[in-house]
Amino acid sequence: MREKLKIKINKDVEFNKIIKEIIEKSKVQNMRDYRQHFNISCYEHCYLVSYYCYIICKKLNLDYMSATRAGMLHDLFLYDWRKNDKSRKGIHAFTHGKTAYKNACEIFDLNDKEKDMILKHMWPVTIILPKYKETFILTFVDKYCAVYEMIESLFGEKITFKKCMKYAYLLLCIIIFKKTY
């Protein structure tokens, strides 16, 4: 994650207040031990997804608190998905939402929106349509962050963050517009 962005996120008092109880839990801290995309830890990925969900949902006057919390918990699966483990049934992309949901429910009292967001953040892979606008936002923010993390790992600073955000924001607006009308 870029240093400027880290500083900006660290200075966002409201965002950090929302996720404080979540990031203090040792199970959530354990996400730092698992690589998500290239050199990005699962924790760092979720932290970034959570922050963008917070920003977008707040701008759109949606439930940004639930979106922020679910963003931080959406990949709480706590295993190395690259290793073939016979105790895990199914392909990671199809199953990790349920695992993250189960792990999150063991630690936190989740509302219906947060549950939907964690369970269905891999839509359309999950097949079942998300119930809330915030779930769609988490889904697209998660994909955006994954692509951005991959590009940044492969090409470094060659691609600008602003350019990526413009396209991601445009796509999100088109999807919400189509859904509304």
Side-chain angles (χ1 to χ4, degrees):
M1 202 185 325
R2 294 177 187 217
E3 289 308 309
K4 280 184 183 178
L5 183 57
K6 280 184 185 177
I7 293 167
K8 183 178 181 177
I9 294 172
N10 288 335
K11 287 182 178 180
D12 195 320
V13 177
E14 185 179 29
F15 169 75
N16 285 292
K17 190 175 180 181
I18 294 168
I19 64 165
K20 185 180 186 323
E21 85 161 295
I22 293 172
I23 63 174
E24 288 177 344
K25 299 292 183 188
S26 60
K27 213 171 198 178
V28 174
Q29 286 294 319
N30 289 343
M31 290 194 306
R32 293 179 188 274
D33 300 333
Y34 299 96
R35 202 166 42 106
Q36 179 65 326
H37 306 114
F38 293 85
N39 300 322
I40 305 296
S41 74
C42 194
Y43 180 92
E44 193 173 8
H45 167 74
C46 288
Y47 189 74
L48 194 59
V49 168
S50 178
Y51 184 68
Y52 289 138
C53 285
Y54 163 76
I55 295 294
I56 293 168
C57 288
K58 192 170 180 176
K59 250 189 197 337
L60 296 174
N61 292 317
L62 298 172
D63 183 358
Y64 66 89
M65 291 188 66
S66 293
T68 303
R69 288 173 47 84
M72 194 64 216
L73 298 168
H74 81 279
D75 280 342
L76 185 64
F77 48 82
L78 302 175
Y79 58 81
D80 184 351
W81 61 270
R82 290 164 185 79
K83 292 184 179 171
N84 190 6
D85 182 353
K86 296 195 190 303
S87 68
R88 280 194 332 264
K89 290 182 170 57
I91 298 168
H92 172 76
F94 293 92
T95 63
H96 78 276
K98 288 180 184 173
T99 305
Y101 169 78
K102 182 180 147 280
N103 288 338
C105 285
E106 288 174 5
I107 312 169
F108 303 102
D109 186 22
L110 304 174
N111 64 38
D112 289 342
K113 198 171 284 183
E114 292 165 345
K115 291 175 184 177
D116 188 70
M117 292 175 78
I118 295 167
L119 280 168
K120 298 175 185 169
H121 79 272
M122 286 300 290
W123 180 82
V125 173
T126 56
I127 300 173
I128 301 169
L129 199 63
K131 194 173 180 179
Y132 305 98
K133 289 178 183 176
E134 292 86 349
T135 308
F136 283 102
I137 289 169
L138 173 60
T139 298
F140 292 111
V141 166
D142 183 41
K143 304 317 173 255
Y144 164 77
C145 287
V147 169
Y148 184 77
E149 290 158 6
M150 178 188 71
I151 290 170
E152 190 174 49
S153 291
L154 293 174
F155 304 110
E157 302 287 325
K158 289 180 184 174
I159 186 160
T160 66
F161 175 75
K162 266 189 171 178
K163 195 177 281 184
C164 279
M165 276 310 282
K166 280 181 187 174
Y167 292 117
Y169 186 71
L170 178 65
L171 177 65
L172 182 63
C173 290
I174 291 168
I175 289 164
I176 290 171
F177 181 77
K178 279 190 149 195
K179 183 89 172 134
T180 310
Y181 297 99

